[in-house]
Structures are given as C-alpha cells and as structure tokens.
Amino acid sequence: AKLSQAEEKLAASETAKASSSEAEKLVAEGIKASQRDQELIQVLQEENATRLEEEHRLREELELTKEELTLTQEELKAVEFDTQEIQKKMDDMRQQHREEVNNLKS
C-alpha cells in the first residue's frame, strides 16, 4: 500500500512538474509576445513621428508656396496695369499721328 501511495505521489509530482513546466513555457511565450508587441509599438511610434515631421514640412512648404503665389499674382497685376498704361499711351500716339496726317493732307 505504501508503494502504491508513493507511486501516486510520484505521479502527482510529475503532473505538477509538467503543469509547472507548461506554465513556465506559457509565461516565456507571453514575455516574448510582449517584447514583440513593445518592438512593434516602438516601430509604429517612430513611423508616426516621421509622418508627423513630413506633414509639418509639407505644411511649411505649402505656406511658402501660397506666399509665392500671392507675390506672383501681385506682380502680374502690376504688369497688367503697366501694359494697360502703355497701350493707352500707344492709342493716344496713334490718334495724334492720324490727326497730324489728316492735317497735312488738308
């Protein structure tokens, strides 16, 4: 009977040992998974930071481009105004020339 009790205790001990070993494996796998998750989180945070920097840079470029466009539009308006002034003077000169030619013909 003692032998049978010893065998039962041994079997129970081996079962407990196997369960303990299984639990250790699960904990180790959980730690590995947690480390992988941490690495993934870090990579994603770095990618996000890079994206934010790129977005910030693009916004600054956009602002500069808008300012350049505004200046170009102002320059264009000034050139158009100058062109209208020159055209007006040319029209006046043609009119004067016609009048002079008509006066000479008369």
Side-chain angles (χ1 to χ4, degrees), residues 86 88-98:
I86 291 170
K88 189 175 172 186
K89 287 179 183 176
M90 292 290 290
D91 288 346
D92 290 347
M93 290 173 73
R94 281 191 203 99
Q95 183 61 35
Q96 278 182 335
H97 180 70
R98 268 192 232 104

Side-chain angles (χ1 to χ4, degrees), residues 43-88:
V43 167
L44 291 173
Q45 286 174 334
E46 289 170 2
E47 287 177 0
N48 190 41
T50 302
R51 248 185 252 115
L52 288 173
E53 288 172 9
E54 179 70 9
E55 184 180 321
H56 181 70
R57 187 184 62 76
L58 288 172
R59 285 185 193 280
E60 287 178 346
E61 282 183 24
L62 178 61
E63 280 303 312
L64 288 174
T65 303
K66 284 180 180 178
E67 289 173 13
E68 289 174 6
L69 176 61
T70 300
L71 289 174
T72 302
Q73 288 172 331
E74 289 172 3
E75 290 171 0
L76 178 60
K77 286 178 185 174
V79 168
E80 287 173 344
F81 180 77
D82 290 347
T83 302
Q84 289 172 351
E85 289 295 308
I86 291 170
Q87 187 124 29
K88 189 175 172 186

Side-chain angles (χ1 to χ4, degrees), residues 11-66:
S13 175
E14 287 176 357
T15 303
K17 189 175 172 184
S19 294
S20 176
S21 176
E22 194 71 27
E24 287 175 10
K25 282 183 187 176
L26 288 173
V27 167
E29 288 174 9
I31 289 173
K32 284 181 185 176
S34 178
Q35 288 172 338
R36 284 193 303 267
D37 290 347
Q38 285 293 341
E39 291 169 4
L40 180 60
I41 288 170
Q42 185 175 355
V43 167
L44 291 173
Q45 286 174 334
E46 289 170 2
E47 287 177 0
N48 190 41
T50 302
R51 248 185 252 115
L52 288 173
E53 288 172 9
E54 179 70 9
E55 184 180 321
H56 181 70
R57 187 184 62 76
L58 288 172
R59 285 185 193 280
E60 287 178 346
E61 282 183 24
L62 178 61
E63 280 303 312
L64 288 174
T65 303
K66 284 180 180 178

